[in-house]
Amino acid sequence: MDDHDVDAYAKLLRRVNSPRVVVDNDACEHATVIQVKHPGTFMLRQGALLEVVQVLTDLNLAITKAYMSSDGVWFMNVFYVTDDHGNKIRDEGIFNCIEKALESDACMVNSTGKILLSKDHNLIELTGTDRPGLLSEVCAVLTDLRCNVVNAEIWAHNARAAAVIHITDQSTGTAIEDPRKLSLIKKLLYNVLKDHGDFRTPIVSISAPGEIHTGRRLHQMMFAARDFERPDSEIDGSVRPDVTVLDCPGRDYTVVTATSIDRPKLLFDTVCTLTDMQYLVFHGAVVTDSKKAYQEYYIRHVDGFPTSSEAERQRVIECIQAAIERRASEGLQLELFTDDHFGLLSYITRILRENGLWAKSAEISTRNGKAKHNYIVTDVSGNPVDPKTIFLIHQQMGQTVLQTTEQTVRFQFSGTISDLKRMNTAKCT
């Protein structure tokens, strides 16, 4: 067989084994139904289900119901999806994107969930003990070293914090190549993260450009940091997701069920954690209403066996609870939109810290000279924020309140960093 025949045979195998996607807008009154049918060999590959869910999640589709089932030959996934406003999907471009992503060799979606790094960025990953003011100190170090934050996402859960940060050199707008400067950045960030009262060592890495799915990577980092182990200081009377793990007699499955508050990306977060724990999903169902979500999965370990001990089942419970909670930080949501300037992130996070606010999560993005910041904040004790504090921050930043709800406060500012500082100084004198 010559090289041409080998290539033709490889293409035939890919076409036969690739998923088949059917989009139906008539089967359900309130949602678009997306059926994804795969050969069983595809879905039994580790991470295959996650790839499918990731594509839908990265397109900002809300999954209201889902069914997964395998007969050993074919694996059928059925997803009921809507847009952010609860409407059916009418955009043909989204359908084409789903089909191309799922029917290609690898699921590649360039969206808010997956960031394709260019050679002009450095990637920083941080893991350490969470505490008030940590984000402000990290941003201050980067600003002092003339690093511009292009995008960043920070999670905190069970006293652990993880961050994925994309930076450039402020003077050149490109990736930092000087090994001495990279070493200094790593050293100073390590010193910020180091907690002398914690036996766990912080982790700081700076890597070359590459491809990363931020949400997936943050789950992996938090899992590696063992945030599913709840410290005594975090144990309170709050309601946690109800997760059960039971044996399925006669079928050699372990049945995992989870009941929690519904929210965006919930299915992705759960499947991501099952994948990272080396489990395969053979059957499953997800049903949501306006407030609650019920998930059920029939799983086996990648070695083909169900869970084998009570300790393993308890760990699955803890890890699924952590997966559901990581992205659902409790607190007041602050959204800020403004012109992007060097030092903006450091200045904003310092204002939050000086006003006694603790950023429990943050998502920073910049594009075309504009910056968008999203924070979930509490006071330094983890309690709800005093409305007077928000009023003071509003005054200091000199911003206009666009909208205020019970959960969200949105700000907009159109000046420069110098304008912000002048306003802050004037109001303090």
Side-chain angles (χ1 to χ4, degrees), residues 284-354:
V286 178
V287 180
T288 69
D289 58 25
S290 58
K291 296 181 180 180
K292 291 286 187 180
Y294 175 81
Q295 303 179 74
E296 181 177 81
Y297 304 97
Y298 289 74
I299 66 171
R300 291 178 187 153
H301 196 266
V302 290
D303 61 12
F305 294 98
T307 55
S308 58
S309 68
E310 185 57 35
E312 183 181 0
R313 286 187 283 273
Q314 183 59 36
R315 191 179 188 215
V316 173
I317 291 174
E318 293 172 350
C319 289
I320 295 300
Q321 287 178 326
I324 294 172
E325 292 173 338
R326 284 174 193 145
R327 208 192 292 263
S329 300
E330 293 186 359
L332 182 70
Q333 181 178 353
L334 302 180
E335 296 183 358
L336 182 143
F337 304 86
T338 186
D339 294 332
D340 187 33
H341 303 281
F342 176 70
L344 174 66
L345 179 58
S346 177
Y347 183 76
I348 297 301
T349 54
R350 180 171 67 82
I351 290 293
L352 297 179
R353 173 173 56 84
E354 291 177 346

Side-chain angles (χ1 to χ4, degrees), residues 153-368:
E153 190 163 351
I154 299 92
W155 290 1
H157 178 252
N158 279 354
R160 306 299 289 163
V164 172
I165 305 172
H166 308 149
I167 65 167
T168 60
D169 189 313
Q170 190 271 334
S171 61
T172 65
T174 61
I176 300 169
E177 298 181 355
D178 183 353
R180 290 174 298 179
K181 183 171 183 178
L182 292 173
S183 178
L184 180 60
I185 294 170
K186 187 173 181 179
K187 177 183 177 180
L188 295 182
L189 289 176
Y190 181 90
N191 290 338
V192 167
L193 289 169
K194 186 167 57 177
D195 185 345
H196 296 289
D198 193 337
F199 68 91
R200 290 172 291 195
T201 303
I203 297 175
V204 179
S205 70
I206 304 178
S207 60
E211 180 191 324
I212 181 175
H213 186 281
T214 304
R216 177 79 195 280
R217 185 65 189 129
L218 284 167
H219 274 299
Q220 292 171 336
M221 293 164 66
M222 294 295 269
F223 179 73
R226 303 182 70 85
D227 75 315
F228 51 86
E229 295 176 345
R230 208 172 188 202
D232 293 339
S233 60
E234 295 289 323
I235 296 177
D236 54 29
S238 60
V239 178
R240 304 197 69 198
D242 182 14
V243 180
T244 64
V245 178
L246 301 170
D247 288 330
C248 182
R251 297 295 301 274
D252 289 333
Y253 292 125
T254 295
V255 184
V256 179
T257 65
T259 304
S260 65
I261 296 174
D262 187 31
R263 61 165 177 78
K265 303 183 180 181
L266 179 63
L267 177 58
F268 170 81
D269 293 338
T270 306
V271 173
C272 184
T273 295
L274 288 172
T275 302
D276 290 340
M277 296 183 73
Q278 302 295 300
Y279 292 107
L280 296 172
V281 176
F282 288 81
H283 305 279
V286 178
V287 180
T288 69
D289 58 25
S290 58
K291 296 181 180 180
K292 291 286 187 180
Y294 175 81
Q295 303 179 74
E296 181 177 81
Y297 304 97
Y298 289 74
I299 66 171
R300 291 178 187 153
H301 196 266
V302 290
D303 61 12
F305 294 98
T307 55
S308 58
S309 68
E310 185 57 35
E312 183 181 0
R313 286 187 283 273
Q314 183 59 36
R315 191 179 188 215
V316 173
I317 291 174
E318 293 172 350
C319 289
I320 295 300
Q321 287 178 326
I324 294 172
E325 292 173 338
R326 284 174 193 145
R327 208 192 292 263
S329 300
E330 293 186 359
L332 182 70
Q333 181 178 353
L334 302 180
E335 296 183 358
L336 182 143
F337 304 86
T338 186
D339 294 332
D340 187 33
H341 303 281
F342 176 70
L344 174 66
L345 179 58
S346 177
Y347 183 76
I348 297 301
T349 54
R350 180 171 67 82
I351 290 293
L352 297 179
R353 173 173 56 84
E354 291 177 346
N355 282 276
L357 296 188
W358 186 354
K360 307 297 285 188
S361 70
E363 186 172 355
I364 313 300
S365 61
T366 63
R367 186 175 183 181
N368 297 329

Side-chain angles (χ1 to χ4, degrees), residues 55-67:
V55 167
L56 301 180
T57 302
D58 287 350
L59 290 169
N60 294 322
L61 303 181
I63 301 174
T64 60
K65 285 194 296 186
Y67 302 99

